[in-house]
Amino acid sequence: KCAHLRLACQTEPKPYYTSKLWWCGIILLGLGEVGNFTAYGFAPIALVAPLGCVSVIGTAVISVLFLKQTVRAADILGGTLAVAGTYLLVTFAPNVPQELTARRVQNNLVSWPFLVYVILEIITFCILLYFYKRKAVKHIMILLMMVALLASLTVIAVKAVASMITLSVKGKMQLTYPVFYIMLILMATSCVFQVKFLNQAMHLYEATAVVPINFMLFTTSAIVSGVIFYQEFQSAALLSVFMFLFGCLLSFLGVFVIARNKKEEHLQVPYIDCGRIPGQKLTGKIQPDSYSSCYGTLNNEDDSVK
């Protein structure tokens, strides 16, 4: 963003890919995603997914430092809620040590709880896709629910791939098992379609609405998939589960407060202010008809009125 703003201020703007600052940002973004991917190999999904709220806090801080945006009361309140939620997440997250081998992934894939979950998810996704494709219903909830359903498969595959790579690096080779490549293909495919529907939502709706709703649906689906596939809350105390869910709620509220109260700048709807015209009110405005031959004029053949 900073690189784009600097290029826009130049008298002769250059392509963004010629900026060293832009490439620096892309590299840092890539390193962040590599770190996020690696985290799934060492920590439960239920912990890694909700910690995405940290990126929202970091974005708010960085935008103040580098983009010179003003600090709002909503940013402080949302950041405080998100930090409190993060503390509860880290403290009460499930801590079930398990060596996620390829054989364990295979057994989890054919377990009846996961099979029931996948069948229900496929049915729900097909219903949403029917309304999206056949009925042309592009409501924000339909789009983001499809993203969340795909994301649940993505995080399952990401954790399996990351864990098997980690074990292979430690000397326990897991890359020779076919399930590794199955999960790799599932990860890549679900990511592609997830980005497709998310881009569609960003195109049709404001980011202030998409960001908090997507974060909440994504986190919820990731936690549910982790509980069903990896049994992450097995034998967890009821108090720990309650405090963990309360931490998720605080994180949701923090992200919602930070993102929802940001005012986005929009170009005003083009119109012609008619001013004092016979037969029109002082505040009357006439929208020009872009398909007519008299664009920008009144639809009246009287030259004096034109």
Side-chain angles (χ1 to χ4, degrees):
K1 179 71 173 181
C2 189
H4 283 296
L5 290 175
R6 288 188 181 183
L7 291 172
C9 293
Q10 295 179 357
T11 54
E12 296 181 0
K14 299 179 181 179
Y16 60 88
Y17 50 81
T18 62
S19 171
K20 295 180 180 178
L21 183 63
W22 183 82
W23 279 108
C24 179
I26 290 296
I27 293 172
L28 290 175
L29 192 64
L31 290 175
E33 291 304 317
V34 170
N36 191 39
F37 173 82
T38 307
Y40 282 102
F42 296 93
I45 292 175
L47 175 60
V48 178
L51 286 180
C53 66
V54 176
S55 65
V56 180
I57 301 173
T59 301
V61 174
I62 289 174
S63 62
V64 172
L65 296 177
F66 291 94
L67 302 179
K68 308 304 179 184
Q69 295 184 1
T70 57
V71 180
R72 304 168 302 131
D75 294 332
I76 299 175
L77 175 60
T80 303
L81 291 173
V83 169
T86 301
Y87 173 77
L88 293 177
L89 289 172
V90 175
T91 304
F92 296 98
N95 188 16
V96 182
Q98 57 178 357
E99 194 176 63
L100 195 60
T101 61
R103 292 190 180 276
R104 184 179 178 87
V105 173
Q106 288 177 351
N107 293 333
N108 290 347
L109 279 174
V110 295
S111 62
W112 70 265
F114 178 69
L115 292 177
V116 172
Y117 173 73
V118 168
I119 292 173
L120 292 176
E121 188 171 89
I122 292 174
I123 293 174
T124 305
F125 186 84
C126 290
I127 293 173
L128 294 174
L129 192 62
Y130 171 78
F131 282 103
Y132 173 74
K133 288 289 188 182
R134 296 294 184 181
K135 301 296 183 179
V137 179
K138 294 180 173 58
H139 192 273
I140 185 172
M141 289 303 297
I142 289 182
L143 289 168
L144 295 184
M145 282 180 67
M146 288 194 292
V147 171
L149 292 174
L150 290 169
S152 65
L153 298 178
T154 302
V155 294
I156 288 174
V158 165
K159 181 171 180 59
V161 171
S163 299
M164 285 187 278
I165 290 177
T166 302
L167 288 176
S168 299
V169 171
K170 291 180 179 179
K172 300 180 180 180
M173 180 55 64
Q174 306 291 317
L175 306 185
T176 56
Y177 290 87
V179 70
F180 171 79
Y181 300 97
I182 293 174
M183 300 305 279
L184 190 65
I185 293 173
L186 177 63
M187 179 184 70
T189 305
S190 59
C191 274
V192 169
F193 287 99
Q194 184 181 336
V195 171
K196 168 184 169 60
F197 292 118
L198 186 58
N199 282 338
Q200 182 74 8
M202 292 293 288
H203 176 70
L204 295 174
Y205 299 94
E206 295 181 355
T208 53
V210 174
V211 170
I213 296 176
N214 181 61
F215 175 73
M216 287 185 281
L217 293 178
F218 167 80
T219 304
T220 302
S221 67
I223 293 174
V224 171
S225 62
V227 170
I228 294 176
F229 191 84
Y230 295 110
Q231 302 172 358
E232 293 181 341
F233 280 96
Q234 189 176 19
S235 69
L238 183 61
L239 178 61
S240 298
V241 175
F242 174 78
M243 294 303 293
F244 177 83
L245 295 177
F246 184 64
C248 289
L249 178 61
L250 290 180
S251 300
F252 291 164
L253 289 175
V255 172
F256 183 83
V257 170
I258 292 175
R260 190 63 178 175
N261 287 283
K262 284 188 176 180
K263 301 296 183 183
E264 294 190 345
E265 294 183 359
H266 297 281
L267 293 175
Q268 294 186 0
V269 178
Y271 63 83
I272 294 177
D273 190 346
C274 297
R276 293 286 296 183
I277 294 182
Q280 296 289 334
K281 297 180 180 179
L282 289 175
T283 57
K285 299 175 178 66
I286 293 180
Q287 177 70 35
D289 181 9
S290 59
Y291 298 100
S292 69
S293 59
C294 53
Y295 182 80
T297 65
L298 294 175
N299 291 327
N300 192 324
E301 295 302 323
D302 188 355
D303 291 335
S304 63
V305 174
K306 290 183 181 181

